[in-house]
Amino acid sequence: MPGSPEPGSPSRPLELDDDRILPTEPTVRAIAREIFAAVRDLPLISMHGHVEASVLAHDEPFPDPAQLLVVPDHYVTRMLVSQGARLEDLGVPRRDGGPVERDGRTIWRLFCSGWHLFRGTPSRFWLEQELHDVFGVRVQPSAETADAIYDQILDCIGRPDFRPRALFDSFGLEILATTDAPASALDDHALIAASGWGGVVVPTFRPDALVHLARPTWKQDVEELGAVAGRDVSGYAGFLDALRQRREHFVRLGARATDHGHLTADTTPLERVDAERIYAAALSGAVTPAEAEAFAAHMLFEMARMSRDDGLVMQIHPGVLRNHDPAVHERFGPDKGFDIPQPVDFVRGLRPMLTAFGTDPGFRCVVFTVDETTYSRELAPLAGAYPAMRLGVPWWFLDSPLAMRRFREAVTETAGFYNTAGFVDDTRAFASIPARHDVARRVDSGFLAQLVAEGQLRIDEAIETAVDLTVTIPREAYAPRGA
Amino acid sequence: MPGSPEPGSPSRPLELDDDRILPTEPTVRAIAREIFAAVRDLPLISMHGHVEASVLAHDEPFPDPAQLLVVPDHYVTRMLVSQGARLEDLGVPRRDGGPVERDGRTIWRLFCSGWHLFRGTPSRFWLEQELHDVFGVRVQPSAETADAIYDQILDCIGRPDFRPRALFDSFGLEILATTDAPASALDDHALIAASGWGGVVVPTFRPDALVHLARPTWKQDVEELGAVAGRDVSGYAGFLDALRQRREHFVRLGARATDHGHLTADTTPLERVDAERIYAAALSGAVTPAEAEAFAAHMLFEMARMSRDDGLVMQIHPGVLRNHDPAVHERFGPDKGFDIPQPVDFVRGLRPMLTAFGTDPGFRCVVFTVDETTYSRELAPLAGAYPAMRLGVPWWFLDSPLAMRRFREAVTETAGFYNTAGFVDDTRAFASIPARHDVARRVDSGFLAQLVAEGQLRIDEAIETAVDLTVTIPREAYAPRGA
Amino acid sequence: MPGSPEPGSPSRPLELDDDRILPTEPTVRAIAREIFAAVRDLPLISMHGHVEASVLAHDEPFPDPAQLLVVPDHYVTRMLVSQGARLEDLGVPRRDGGPVERDGRTIWRLFCSGWHLFRGTPSRFWLEQELHDVFGVRVQPSAETADAIYDQILDCIGRPDFRPRALFDSFGLEILATTDAPASALDDHALIAASGWGGVVVPTFRPDALVHLARPTWKQDVEELGAVAGRDVSGYAGFLDALRQRREHFVRLGARATDHGHLTADTTPLERVDAERIYAAALSGAVTPAEAEAFAAHMLFEMARMSRDDGLVMQIHPGVLRNHDPAVHERFGPDKGFDIPQPVDFVRGLRPMLTAFGTDPGFRCVVFTVDETTYSRELAPLAGAYPAMRLGVPWWFLDSPLAMRRFREAVTETAGFYNTAGFVDDTRAFASIPARHDVARRVDSGFLAQLVAEGQLRIDEAIETAVDLTVTIPREAYAPRGA
């Protein structure tokens, strides 16, 4: 790959600067250190992620290093692909079961030889901290060091203290929310609850597959929903009933929130009769794209209404065009790095929902974006007015030091700190969770330190605010609502 | 409210760092201090605000602290509302005259208990400086300190040197522009002029209510315009004549500018016959939304033409969707914090106006935005080409340290300093005017200091530029045009 | 002009700070110096510019200082125009041959008296470095110093070591790409190649005039193309053939790339029969605006296909509304500073091209923008996924220290360094080329130094990356593709 270090160049040590990401000006850094010290070791509150509950329910050892750190992480694989690697060579399974690389060590070597591509990215930061802190690696990945690192990690993950539950405990996770389909029985969550292990793992209700009528599996997913919920879903009323039933089930198993990924932020409700008609059309396979879009928007509104009624916090993250390259989607499925953000109109999109429920004490929504242009223009003014709304912190592409800093810089002056929600790590990579929270705490400490150094905030207020951002605010933001 | 300091925690002192907001790196800060020293005490030129002329015409003592600092300031009330307070409890009058909190001390306590919500916001900065410099408060607001601060301010505002005119003089205001409806007789301005008091208070011509045909009061406003102007406004020609007559009246009373708040930046003129037809339709109550939009755009063009003819500087600030929550509007009226910015197309929107008048030495427009995405993409390139156009500095949501810094960073490299206009404080809160100008001077000094420290500008040039930004440029930008 | 220094004020020295634009915090600056030292004197790779090959083919002395530094530089003239100067007074030729200022010294004086307008702009930086390093000027331009500077430059450009080829060599240019119409015979390039002088000057294939059917000269340009290519262009197939023939000619003369300026990023291909029909309609003068737009998008797709086949790198820079003021265009022609960026939809626009060729090893595109909102939202995610795509670095309005810094800050965390392309100077001003590359190297060094100071990158990696950005990456990005 272009720009790689010369083959045979000496290994570079992997060291972690204790002040990493903190501001560089010495006075500000000293203030930031003081703030960061107050939050560094606070519990991790992980309310939005993609770790499977089964990992913690069964507590099996992780497979090989490539399967742990490379293959399932689309941040990592897409970067290697962007420089000419093939997903097959990175071990990403093909939908047709065709041949892909299965040797962990071979995949790991390919990843290590592309290590320089991650310079300046959060993947570099997370992986470095993970390799260093979790697996004790002290040399940077490269073609030369690949095998030694592979062996070292392989040795770790065979040991009991590297099992998922042991890591969960050592990470200091106060709570971990998973992401689950409405039809999920949540057996893994039940298993964890019944296990006597003290870890708190809660489900999150994600109904996307059921509200996007144009998805090829929609009818099948709805039928599965009906079966699991014990409701007749041949009509729209039964569909809503089934959703309500599943939400109740999620609430019983500790769910705090729902999660909604839509192409737009539209929340315009339909007339009941139109919703019924479109639902029926979808069941008979005759729905138009415009009807499907209108129904998705309508269902966001309905989900808000249900949230107002059952207290689940509603997480909305619109504006990503999924599977930009249909060939990649066709061959490897979704979530392979070819999801591209697009502009979102939150102002008109959220208006129906916010005017209906935005001042209702029973309703809480957390709104995420990957379109930074909306921070100061739309989201901060909305969150700075409607009591039901909180701003989701930077996420996905923006879950990185500079982007997090830009978020605080763009929204704080309009919405303050207390209209934002806690950090969400949104990860599939279980072992990266501490590093991800660590970045957020460092960035927030640095931003607060700057305010102190500029005479805009007192140090005791800054420390109080940092603690609030780390634990008080996310606990409150995701607390069950309502009666 | 979440995150509040524990009840009973000790009071925090309120101190002002003399270097507040200046850059933190010591070398840059020293340069910034030198620049700031040259502009810190220059006169305040306040060409765009919402203080009522009556305040200065009658020079009555201010009412209680809550009525002075909380109730009319939608920056303050919306932040408290966003965290669960009710506008009623903040004393904001209901349109139906229904009951709201009337006890200033009770409102003040609610405000003080939410003081932490303003951390990192410009409201915090302004209020802190105002409390400290104007009222001599030396303790931060909190539930514990609320009463003492209330009493201290109450004591001040009863004294002669806290009357509006006394404050005007002590603030160093060179000129204060108000915002006025075209039908206003401007009696308060005349009263001030005749009073012998030396303060310069000039009106600003704001015809929004007359050009947005869909507003429910439009017909009534037009009839009032006709009556005041002594013109028959039953036809479009008379309407234009009446507007011209009122502009002349404003000019006679010292007006320098007009002010235009539109949803879009569209300035497309209509054919005369279409303007006449739509005007007639509006009078008969039969105008369509599309016609109303087209007429508003047309009237911006017509206002530009009149500005070219009578020399009033034209201020345009498009792109805010007013009254996002109709329930709040219905209950409390406009300007209650539920106005949300939206994207604006300046490139095509301003094109008709700029191609008609943009190179005419008799025309001057100052264009404001709350959509930061347009700074480097649209506004700086336009202002860096058309001689008639100046860039309005950050305003409303963006009237804050970081947003002002982003403005200079985004526009200077394309438009330079001399295509921007002076700072506008846009405030309803009279006592906050010095603090608001102070922020702008600090931010500009810091930005210039950075250029000096980076070897891009000499210190003598930086000082000259800072002085120009503070007084030379706004005096020139708002100087009467034309013959 | 407003804000000018007082007439008669003493001359200001023109000095260059050796650390200019580097970060100001001393620790970070020291790191930045070390990085910058490694790239400062590397060869200049200038793959995208507007210097005419004839300048180097004929190697004539430059005309007077105004013709060298003011008249052809629309960055300079538009800034003076924005503050009231007339293009006529700046010597810009009128299309009708009408009178304009012809005296170089008079033009130069006007420019010098407006020197303060360039404070904080890259023009100031470039001109200062150019005046200092190339022409030995040691005093800042002003009304007082104008004549002395004029004489000093005039003296220089009469000397052999200030001839274009001598400057080319002393600048350290490794390669210079020009911009050329497809019908160009490229005689000047051939002349240079045959001259025995060692400078590498390559053409760039820019077919805009041939794909935008609505341009008044389109038919004439197509006929010229046909004549030069020896192809019958009366049908669409012959048109494509002629383009292919010319691309081959360009490749033979060393071309590395094509260059495409479009209003949008649309690359949707037409059905063959529709392309043929629209082409025929255009030839008969009966094309609609919608057809012309669709054809332009289609031709981007076709150009991508040809690039895949012949290995020319495809440069795309959409989103500029040209000639915003038609009166300026009518009087002075294109490229006079009245070109204004507008929003671009890269996500949907580039999708047809990227899904067709984005993973093809034979295809390479470099995508530029002047809409910064697309950096983190669209361009970095796209370039961080598709192997064929590289991000063009900041360009035109954004070719400046702060904008370059924003680019690295916005894209690196998602796309890394290795998915960007090398610096492009995009200049008509030959003597400014070293200064422009110098800025980019300083900004990149500063950005990398910040990562080092924050513990995100090792210094040896930062130096390696800086060298890669300066020479390795642009050499690879613009290397001929394909078999």
Side-chain angles (χ1 to χ4, degrees), chain A residues 347-348 376 413 418 464, chain B residues 83 119 324 342 372 400 402:
Chain A
V347 181
R348 285 182 166 73
S376 79
E413 295 183 325
Y418 292 87
E464 191 178 275
Chain B
Q83 288 281 323
R119 289 174 189 164
H324 193 269
Q342 62 173 23
E372 299 188 72
S400 56
L402 289 166

Side-chain angles (χ1 to χ4, degrees), chain B residues 366-442:
Chain B
V366 182
V367 181
F368 296 87
T369 192
V370 276
D371 175 3
E372 299 188 72
T373 68
T374 60
Y375 281 163
S376 78
R377 188 181 59 211
E378 305 179 15
L379 291 177
L382 286 168
Y386 285 100
M389 178 171 166
R390 294 288 180 273
L391 285 186
V393 297
W395 152 84
W396 199 340
F397 295 104
L398 306 177
D399 179 10
S400 56
L402 289 166
M404 283 180 186
R405 175 79 181 217
R406 287 197 295 272
F407 170 74
R408 290 285 173 214
E409 290 181 344
V411 309
T412 307
E413 295 183 325
T414 295
F417 291 102
Y418 292 86
N419 284 310
T420 64
F423 174 70
V424 302
D425 55 69
D426 187 45
T427 191
R428 287 171 162 72
F430 181 61
S432 75
I433 293 177
R436 288 166 182 252
H437 285 259
D438 185 65
V439 174
R441 292 172 188 197
R442 289 173 184 273

Side-chain angles (χ1 to χ4, degrees), chain A residues 25 28 347-348 351 355 359 373 376-378 381-387 390 409-410 412-419 447 450-451 453-458 460-461 464-465 468 476, chain B residues 2-3 5 12-13 20-21 24-26 29 78-79 81-83 116-117 119-122 124 140 321 323-326 337-338 340-343 371-373 397 400-403 406:
Chain A
E25 201 282 309
V28 187
V347 181
R348 285 182 166 73
R351 198 179 195 185
T355 57
T359 56
T373 68
S376 79
R377 188 181 59 211
E378 306 179 16
L382 286 168
Y386 285 101
R390 293 289 180 274
E409 291 181 343
T412 307
E413 295 183 325
T414 294
F417 292 102
Y418 292 87
N419 284 310
F447 179 69
Q450 188 67 30
L451 290 176
E454 287 178 0
Q456 297 199 63
L457 207 60
R458 293 166 47 86
D460 54 350
E461 296 177 292
E464 191 178 275
T465 306
D468 286 346
E476 195 271 342
Chain B
R12 288 167 163 153
R20 59 196 177 281
I21 304 185
T24 50
E25 202 284 308
R29 177 167 282 194
R78 72 159 177 78
M79 181 62 92
V81 164
S82 77
Q83 288 281 323
H116 65 290
L117 303 176
R119 289 174 189 164
T121 70
R124 151 88 177 220
Q140 298 228 1
L321 182 71
N323 309 310
H324 193 269
D325 187 344
F338 284 77
I340 311 293
Q342 62 173 23
D371 175 3
E372 299 188 72
T373 68
F397 295 104
S400 56
L402 289 166
R406 287 197 295 272

Side-chain angles (χ1 to χ4, degrees), chain B residues 25 27-28 345-348 350-351 354-355 359 373 376-378 380-390 406 408-410 412-420 447 450-458 460-462 464-465 468 472-473 476, chain C residues 2-5 12-13 15 17 19-22 24-26 29 78-79 81-84 115-117 119-122 124-125 128 140 263 321-326 328 337-343 370-373 397-398 400-403 406:
Chain B
E25 202 284 308
T27 314
V28 187
D345 175 359
F346 286 104
V347 181
R348 285 182 167 73
L350 298 182
R351 198 178 194 184
L354 288 174
T355 56
T359 55
T373 68
S376 78
R377 188 181 59 211
E378 305 179 15
L382 286 168
Y386 285 100
M389 178 171 166
R390 294 288 180 273
R406 287 197 295 272
R408 290 285 173 214
E409 290 181 344
T412 307
E413 295 183 325
T414 295
F417 291 102
Y418 292 86
N419 284 310
T420 64
F447 179 70
Q450 188 67 28
L451 290 177
V452 173
E454 289 179 358
Q456 297 198 62
L457 208 61
R458 294 166 46 87
D460 55 350
E461 295 177 291
E464 189 178 276
T465 306
D468 286 346
T472 320
I473 285 175
E476 194 271 343
Chain C
S4 292
R12 289 167 162 153
E15 294 151 343
D17 182 344
D19 288 329
R20 59 196 178 280
I21 303 185
L22 298 186
T24 50
E25 201 283 309
R29 177 166 282 193
R78 72 160 177 77
M79 181 61 91
V81 164
S82 78
Q83 288 281 323
W115 180 240
H116 65 290
L117 302 175
R119 289 174 189 165
T121 70
R124 152 85 177 223
F125 187 95
E128 216 171 31
Q140 298 228 0
L263 187 57
L321 181 72
R322 306 272 169 169
N323 310 308
H324 193 268
D325 187 344
V328 170
F338 284 78
D339 302 323
I340 311 293
Q342 62 173 24
V370 277
D371 175 2
E372 299 188 71
T373 69
F397 294 105
L398 306 176
S400 56
L402 289 166
R406 287 198 297 272

Side-chain angles (χ1 to χ4, degrees), chain B residues 156-184:
Chain B
C156 286
I157 60 184
R159 288 160 28 200
D161 48 333
F162 286 84
R163 293 281 181 90
R165 288 186 185 177
L167 289 178
F168 186 105
D169 292 336
S170 71
F171 289 169
L173 273 159
E174 177 175 309
I175 181 171
L176 178 75
T178 61
T179 301
D180 306 273
S184 166

Side-chain angles (χ1 to χ4, degrees), chain B residues 94-174:
Chain B
R94 282 171 51 174
R95 296 172 92 175
D96 63 3
V100 302
E101 183 57 59
R102 298 198 182 278
D103 180 51
R105 191 175 295 271
T106 303
I107 297 167
W108 184 254
R109 285 177 183 156
L110 181 53
F111 159 65
C112 288
S113 74
W115 181 240
H116 65 290
L117 303 176
F118 297 95
R119 289 174 189 164
T121 70
S123 295
R124 151 88 177 220
F125 188 96
W126 300 327
L127 285 163
E128 215 172 31
Q129 187 158 333
E130 221 171 315
L131 291 172
H132 187 280
D133 285 357
V134 181
F135 301 108
V137 174
R138 292 293 179 271
V139 65
Q140 298 228 1
S142 71
E144 283 71 30
T145 62
D147 280 1
I149 299 175
Y150 190 85
D151 291 333
Q152 184 166 347
I153 301 173
L154 200 61
D155 175 63
C156 286
I157 60 184
R159 288 160 28 200
D161 48 333
F162 286 84
R163 293 281 181 90
R165 288 186 185 177
L167 289 178
F168 186 105
D169 292 336
S170 71
F171 289 169
L173 273 159
E174 177 175 309

Side-chain angles (χ1 to χ4, degrees), chain C residues 5-11 142-144:
Chain C
E6 298 296 306
S9 55
S11 298
S142 71
E144 284 71 28

